Amino acid sequence: MSEKKTEIRTTGAPAPAWMFSQGVRKGPILQVSGQGPQDPVTAEYLYPGDVKAQTRRTLENVKAIVEAGGATVEDVVMFRVYLTERAHFPLMNEAYAEFIEENIPAGGVKPCRTTVFTGLPQEPMLVEIDAQAVVG
């Protein structure tokens, strides 16, 4: 029997701008759509030109969807980070490391991560992040 697919929604992250869900859960698998550095309430892009602050805001948006799907950051098996410039990697990595330290207990298994350099859909975006978690 096939598991039911469920759309995940939360006000803790910005509403999707186009025809996709913030997140989808099917059985224990939870996929979070790519998130950017937007205010969850106003959808305004925050911290222009500051990739470290944008990374932190983006990770908080991803975390809100992960939690709305019944998981925690500890349940995340993969983060995918998209950056507009290679030069942004060190500051993104710094913000990412701080977030992981705060959300994964000492000695815990850190999620996998891939970083890709690409164009992003909105000019103010320096970073976009998606995630996949396995719940329970």
Side-chain angles (χ1 to χ4, degrees):
M1 182 173 185
S2 180
E3 298 275 347
K4 181 181 175 191
K5 188 163 74 169
T6 305
E7 181 178 25
I8 306 303
R9 290 179 173 265
T10 179
T11 57
W18 298 287
M19 295 296 296
F20 57 85
S21 302
Q22 285 176 313
V24 172
R25 181 168 170 185
K26 185 168 183 176
I29 298 171
L30 171 62
Q31 178 65 47
V32 176
S33 289
Q35 297 297 302
Q38 293 171 272
D39 179 271
V41 176
T42 66
E44 174 186 357
Y45 286 93
L46 301 173
Y47 314 113
D50 184 344
V51 73
K52 185 173 181 182
Q54 283 197 8
T55 299
R56 184 56 189 231
R57 176 69 260 163
T58 301
L59 285 164
E60 293 297 339
N61 290 343
V62 170
K63 180 181 176 180
I65 299 166
V66 165
E67 290 177 347
T72 68
V73 174
E74 285 186 84
D75 296 315
V76 173
V77 294
M78 178 68 162
F79 283 106
R80 281 170 296 269
V81 178
Y82 306 89
L83 292 172
T84 57
E85 297 180 30
R86 282 190 177 103
H88 292 157
F89 185 85
L91 288 174
M92 175 283 297
N93 204 44
E94 194 175 306
Y96 178 86
E98 291 168 2
F99 178 83
I100 292 300
E101 279 185 30
E102 293 168 14
N103 288 280
I104 304 290
V109 177
K110 295 170 187 69
C112 295
R113 189 185 89 197
T114 295
T115 305
V116 177
F117 301 94
T118 187
L120 292 174
Q122 299 296 322
E123 187 66 31
M125 294 175 73
L126 302 176
V127 63
E128 182 173 2
I129 301 172
D130 69 25
Q132 188 170 73
V134 178
V135 184

